[in-house]
């Protein structure tokens, strides 16, 4: 079947079905006790969502396994024919909702700022994101055909991918954290020392960082455990939308995998452009740990 082209929303390329549902998203009414989890795609969204969900369920793994992750932590802008939209799912959730989004900061519905919701942003280095996104584009068929890796890397660099430019995304949210209640986390830090980062999240949410809880969360949200966890893997989404036989959702879960994908020439091109696009920011990333 034909894959749909991206459609721009205020200049940001978006999955066609999401763009068609934009009115519902833009008018979304946030509540003061909503917690927003924001990421550029492929930056550890599911990982941080599972961590926060464990915190909200006081470390009860069984509760966390009862329902699919995208039901427990609905994806605000999600819309695909035949499946409830993210907004529909959110409207059915009890209060203290967890809301997941990939929107660049300028597209976030106004009500999140008006209600002064707490926000957790998780960022991951551009090269690993590009590789992960390439495989995700192949398996999640709501995206256009990514073409060759070389072609996709050009599109990624130029921001011609769903949710637009990685550079603008991480920079936009980084600036906004200065004036808002936001915890800005890095995938690489989480890989390096998950327990340390989990403690940060607990502190941000005003919860005592009991060692038992930290340990339970770290174990339940390890890559191995999450890969085996049916409810954390989007395995309940129809294969017409996500085909795990093309590429698993939990693919490798490491930092530095880009070295297996980038050629030397691609890496040099990417670095030169990166320097231009990241000029003047104090935001920096580790590409290996
Ligand atoms: P890879 O494709 O590099 O393996 P998102 O949830 O934002 O779509 O991000 C998906 C990426 O996060 C995938 O990266 C996936 O493997 C990785 N990931 C998910 N859970 C993880 C975990 N518990 N530990 C490490 N990486 C994880």
């Amino acid at each position: 079947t034909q894959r749909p082209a991206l459609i721009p929303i205020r200049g940001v390329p978006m999955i066609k079905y999401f763009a068609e549902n934009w009115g519902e998203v833009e008018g979304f009414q946030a509540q003061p006790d909503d917690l927003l989890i924001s990421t550029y795609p492929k930056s550890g969204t599911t990982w941080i969502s599972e961590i926060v969900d464990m915190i909200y369920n006081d470390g009860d793994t069984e509760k966390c396994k009862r329902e699919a992750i995208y039901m427990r932590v609905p994806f605000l802008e999600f819309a695909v024919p035949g499946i409830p939209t993210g907004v529909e799912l959110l409207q059915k959730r009890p209060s203290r909702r967890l809301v997941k989004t990939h929107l660049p900061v300028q597209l976030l519905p106004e009500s999140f700022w008006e209600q002064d919701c707490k926000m957790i942003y998780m960022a991951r280095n551009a090269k690993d994101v590009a590789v992960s996104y390439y495989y995700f584009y192949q398996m999640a068929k709501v995206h256009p055909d990514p073409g060759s890796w070389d072609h996709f890397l050009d599109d990624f660099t130029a921001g011609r991918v769903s949710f637009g430019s990685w550079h603008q995304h991480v920079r936009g949210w980084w600036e906004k954290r200065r004036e808002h209640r936001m915890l800005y986390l890095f995938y690489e830090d989480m890989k390096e020392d998950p327990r340390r980062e989990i403690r940060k999240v607990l502190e941000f949410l005003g919860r005592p960082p009991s060692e038992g809880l930290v340990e339970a969360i770290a174990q339940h949200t390890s890559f191995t455990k999450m890969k085996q966890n049916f409810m954390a893997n989007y395995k309940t989404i129809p294969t017409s939308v996500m085909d795990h036989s093309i590429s698993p959702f939990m693919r490798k879960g490491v930092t530095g995998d880009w070295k297996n994908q980038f050629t030397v020439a691609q890496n040099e091109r990417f670095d030169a452009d990166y320097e231009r696009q990241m000029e003047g920011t104090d935001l920096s990333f580790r590409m290996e740990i």
Side-chain angles (χ1 to χ4, degrees), residues 3 9 11 15 17 70 84-85 98 102-103 112 116 124 144 154 156 169 171 189 223 237 253 264 268 273 284 289:
R3 285 168 169 243
I9 294 287
I15 288 168
Y17 305 117
Y70 75 91
T85 66
L98 303 176
H102 291 322
L103 292 173
F112 285 98
D116 193 26
R124 186 184 191 187
D154 271 349
F156 179 86
H169 206 283
R171 291 187 69 155
D189 292 349
F223 182 75
I237 297 253
V264 172
E268 282 172 2
D273 171 83
S284 66
I289 50 172

Side-chain angles (χ1 to χ4, degrees), residues 7-15 18 22 25-26 36-41 75-77 100-110 112-113 119 121-122 133 159 161-177 182 184:
I7 294 178
I9 294 287
R10 286 199 260 146
V12 179
M14 198 83 76
I15 288 168
F18 297 10
W22 181 246
V25 174
E26 200 174 26
L36 186 75
I37 297 173
S38 171
T39 57
Y40 188 82
F75 179 17
L76 177 63
E77 57 273 17
K100 194 171 78 181
T101 187
H102 291 322
L103 292 173
V105 77
Q106 75 277 14
L107 287 190
L108 187 73
E110 270 307 310
F112 285 98
W113 308 118
M119 301 174 181
Y121 186 83
M122 185 142 157
Y133 215 177
V161 290
S162 176
F163 295 103
S165 156
W166 173 90
H167 312 76
Q168 287 173 27
H169 206 283
V170 296
R171 291 187 69 155
W173 283 94
W174 179 250
E175 289 311 315
K176 201 73 181 177
R177 94 194 190 290
M182 189 191 304
Y184 199 107

